[in-house]
Amino acid sequence: MNFSFSLNTQNHFSIIKNIADELNQQVYIVGGFVRDLILERERNEVDFLVIGDGPTFAQKLAEKLNVKNVNIFKNYGTAHFKYKNIDFEFVGARKESYNKDSRNPHVEVGSFEEDINRRDFTVNTLAISLNTKNYGELIDNFNGLDDIKNKIIKTPLNPQITFDDDPLRIMRAFRFASQLNFYVDENILIAAEQLAERLKIVSQERITDELFKILSSSNPSIGLKLMQNTKVMHVVFPQIANLAGVDQRKDFHHKDVFLHTCQVVDNISKSTENVWLRFAALVHDIAKPQTKRFVEGTGWTFHGHEEIGARMMKGVFKQLKLPLQKINYIEKLIRLHLRPIALASEVVTDSAIRRLSANAGDDLDDLITLCRADITSKNQDKVAKYLQNYENVMSKVKEVQEKDNLRAFQSPVKGEEIMEICNLKPSKKVGEIKKAIEEAILDGKIQNNYNEAYQYLLQIKSDYLN
Ligand code: CTP
């Protein structure tokens, strides 16, 4: 296969060829760019493999292209710059050997073949020459092209070696399967299970990054199930692994919460690109195993799993090194995920609707998206009924909101004014009075406006000041 035509349409590649000629250096485009060119996936990052010193080549090329900012990573022998909004990454061909206790390889200068051999997957071993003698030629030493056509992730060497070299590749295999909708070779699955524990030497940030790339793909369940079936989930996210399993008691069958969760994540991925909302779907039932009880006459129950699940997030965020500014959002969605269905009955009070609206605040739409995705029944009539119930809840919410504009809810009389009127210093009491005003609004005793809140404050103040 020859790519000179598609390369020539991208002017910068022929500039690189000319400079490589001038410098008498061999350069190839490698990795994801080639894979995605064949798959016709758009991307704006190109990896160049330079036979020799990558950073020096990058620097000389940058000079010719008039690019000022070149990032050189001496320790890794790599360089990067941006050109016409495309990320150019350079690496010198290397031969790597690994030490058992570290994922940092011992790196030596190597040949084209030595470099390509040590790459992760056959679909990533493809290279396109940018050299005059075979410009545009596809070099396919491991049948990567066939593997792309057959939609399969395979390693160029024995997967035991490939994963032992860099255990993060276990996660990468599942991530590519999810992103590209590819199968994973059986030998990879075997090696992944055997070497799963080696993921512990990889930094948590990189593992979490791969997990989130799986969640960002169009069918996250592909990657999640691969993680589960190889027991990689047990190492990376044991609380999710724990959701698997089915219990049978009398006629009461309790469904596999892991498979249900996978379906919820896939469902929600059809309605949102927000990866945090997808993460909320992944963890929404996380406390079901510890709250599971069999109640005679009722069957399986999971009382309180929403509250316990929300409380588990502190530990989960620490474990996965997730950004703490997202924790409130995730806790809130878990805590409230059963509320809308509980409010779907015909006789529901305005005050219950107000509470939902006030508790969910700006995240109410996301909460309903999660609730919709949570319907995994195979019975279409039931699905239609539940969806209709959520419609009803949302129209009631709208009705009540229009009545009293509660979305960004807070007492109309602020803390400072309460202190002044009651002659109080900043204290717990001020919070209690403010809360009492808010409760009165939520209960519908007074309207959500300044005047009524002020009058109410005057009325209750003596109860708090004795
Ligand atoms: N690579 C590898 N082992 C890793 C990471 C990367 O062998 N643990 C190699 C692969 O050949 C890969 C290339 O380095 O194609 C570039 O890595 P990266 O940018 O992380 O992946 P891409 O394949 O480019 O895919 P994407 O950008 O979509 O993540």
Side-chain angles (χ1 to χ4, degrees):
M1 197 182 263
N2 196 300
F3 282 94
S4 46
F5 173 72
S6 38
L7 295 188
N8 283 339
T9 59
Q10 308 199 39
N11 187 28
H12 40 265
F13 291 130
S14 50
I15 300 175
I16 294 175
K17 174 181 79 113
N18 295 340
I19 292 165
D21 276 351
E22 235 174 78
L23 299 173
N24 198 17
Q25 244 173 335
Q26 286 179 48
V27 185
Y28 300 84
I29 311 175
V30 289
F33 182 87
V34 185
R35 181 195 70 223
D36 288 349
L37 189 67
I38 294 163
L39 287 168
E40 296 177 2
R41 292 174 89 230
E42 225 176 273
R43 74 186 272 135
N44 46 14
E45 184 195 315
V46 194
D47 289 301
F48 297 96
L49 177 65
V50 179
I51 312 306
D53 188 339
T56 308
F57 181 82
Q59 225 151 11
K60 290 194 175 147
L61 179 64
E63 270 168 39
K64 305 254 178 190
L65 295 173
N66 231 345
V67 173
K68 298 277 174 297
N69 290 331
V70 183
N71 305 309
I72 307 266
F73 306 97
K74 270 225 167 75
N75 290 350
Y76 298 99
T78 60
H80 159 264
F81 61 77
K82 243 190 161 62
Y83 178 66
K84 294 191 176 167
N85 257 336
I86 302 175
D87 283 301
F88 281 19
E89 309 268 353
F90 296 84
V91 63
R94 53 175 75 190
K95 185 168 132 191
E96 298 179 352
S97 52
Y98 290 78
N99 172 319
K100 273 262 159 245
D101 307 314
S102 159
R103 73 173 291 275
N104 296 329
H106 172 71
V107 179
E108 289 168 63
V109 173
S111 65
F112 173 82
E113 279 76 18
E114 282 167 335
D115 186 287
I116 292 292
N117 287 352
R118 293 317 276 247
R119 286 180 178 254
D120 52 2
F121 305 113
T122 58
V123 297
N124 289 343
T125 58
L126 293 160
I128 297 175
S129 166
L130 291 184
N131 309 299
T132 302
K133 74 173 185 350
N134 57 349
Y135 182 76
E137 187 189 310
L138 181 75
I139 302 160
D140 181 8
N141 290 352
F142 291 97
N143 291 327
L145 195 56
D146 280 345
D147 291 343
I148 290 180
K149 284 191 191 134
N150 296 326
K151 292 174 153 279
I152 185 143
I153 305 291
K154 278 187 192 166
T155 48
L157 308 177
N158 180 336
Q160 300 272 349
I161 299 172
T162 305
F163 291 163
D164 208 34
D165 281 356
D166 179 359
L168 182 71
R169 290 168 170 171
I170 297 174
M171 288 295 288
R172 283 173 62 89
F174 302 161
R175 183 259 286 192
F176 283 123
S178 253
Q179 279 180 333
L180 307 175
N181 209 348
F182 275 28
Y183 306 100
V184 175
D185 183 60
E186 185 63 30
N187 292 323
I188 286 190
L189 300 179
I190 296 168
E193 185 159 356
Q194 283 169 354
L195 296 173
E197 289 284 325
R198 290 258 304 152
L199 273 164
K200 289 186 174 155
I201 65 161
V202 177
S203 81
Q204 185 60 50
E205 287 83 350
R206 303 189 69 186
I207 295 175
T208 298
D209 186 46
E210 293 297 333
L211 176 65
F212 270 66
K213 282 184 176 163
I214 290 176
L215 284 178
S216 301
S217 68
S218 47
N219 286 305
S221 69
I222 296 178
L224 297 174
K225 286 179 186 168
L226 286 164
M227 287 175 73
Q228 182 74 7
N229 296 341
T230 52
K231 302 209 163 54
V232 166
M233 191 67 90
H234 297 64
V235 177
V236 170
F237 205 161
Q239 298 90 331
I240 296 295
N242 216 7
L243 300 179
V246 179
D247 287 315
Q248 200 79 40
R249 281 276 294 261
K250 299 186 183 156
D251 289 339
F252 291 93
H253 164 99
H254 129 68
K255 70 177 165 188
D256 185 313
V257 182
F258 174 75
L259 293 178
H260 164 73
T261 297
C262 284
Q263 204 184 327
V264 180
V265 176
D266 277 357
N267 287 351
I268 210 160
S269 302
K270 293 189 186 84
S271 342
T272 181
E273 295 291 320
N274 173 358
V275 73
W276 289 99
L277 184 48
R278 294 177 179 204
F279 181 76
L282 178 67
V283 294
H284 78 287
D285 276 343
I286 200 164
K288 272 201 168 171
Q290 48 277 56
T291 54
K292 186 173 76 181
R293 302 269 177 280
F294 187 81
V295 179
E296 290 300 335
T298 308
W300 292 104
T301 65
F302 305 91
H303 286 309
H305 77 274
E306 65 284 15
E307 182 57 35
I308 295 177
R311 289 190 197 159
M312 282 166 74
M313 284 307 109
K314 274 205 182 74
V316 165
F317 267 61
K318 203 167 159 205
Q319 173 190 323
L320 298 182
K321 295 219 167 124
L322 297 174
L324 285 178
Q325 74 264 29
K326 292 289 175 194
I327 197 168
N328 287 341
Y329 173 76
I330 299 294
E331 284 174 346
K332 184 198 278 186
L333 291 176
I334 302 176
R335 186 168 278 129
L336 298 179
H337 82 269
L338 297 178
R339 275 271 209 104
I341 200 72
L343 295 183
S345 69
E346 284 191 12
V347 274
V348 56
T349 59
D350 275 8
S351 99
I353 289 285
R354 270 191 204 107
R355 276 173 203 283
L356 170 69
S357 180
N359 291 152
D362 285 342
D363 301 316
L364 185 60
D365 291 332
D366 286 358
L367 176 65
I368 296 292
T369 305
L370 173 61
C371 292
R372 288 203 176 102
D374 201 8
I375 307 170
T376 58
S377 167
K378 291 211 169 51
N379 178 335
Q380 286 310 312
D381 290 343
K382 267 196 188 168
V383 172
K385 190 180 129 215
Y386 289 145
L387 285 174
Q388 187 53 50
N389 284 346
Y390 290 132
E391 289 300 316
N392 297 347
V393 171
M394 282 312 267
S395 53
K396 280 184 208 163
V397 167
K398 233 175 130 199
E399 237 172 70
V400 175
Q401 272 178 350
E402 271 165 16
K403 254 200 270 168
D404 50 23
N405 192 19
L406 269 173
R407 232 170 182 189
F409 178 67
Q410 253 214 31
S411 162
V413 181
K414 303 280 176 278
E416 271 157 33
E417 204 173 351
I418 296 172
M419 288 192 272
E420 207 180 296
I421 293 167
C422 303
N423 200 13
L424 283 170
K425 292 214 161 62
S427 60
K428 231 169 101 187
K429 201 143 253 175
V430 182
E432 283 169 16
I433 297 175
K434 196 166 162 223
K435 183 115 204 315
I437 298 171
E438 289 169 356
E439 288 292 316
I441 294 169
L442 289 171
D443 287 337
K445 280 193 207 157
I446 57 170
Q447 294 288 307
N448 184 23
N449 62 48
Y450 179 81
N451 263 345
E452 293 199 28
Y454 182 80
Q455 290 306 327
Y456 186 72
L457 168 63
L458 298 183
Q459 196 185 314
I460 61 166
K461 115 180 182 202
S462 58
D463 300 342
Y464 287 85
L465 298 179
N466 299 327

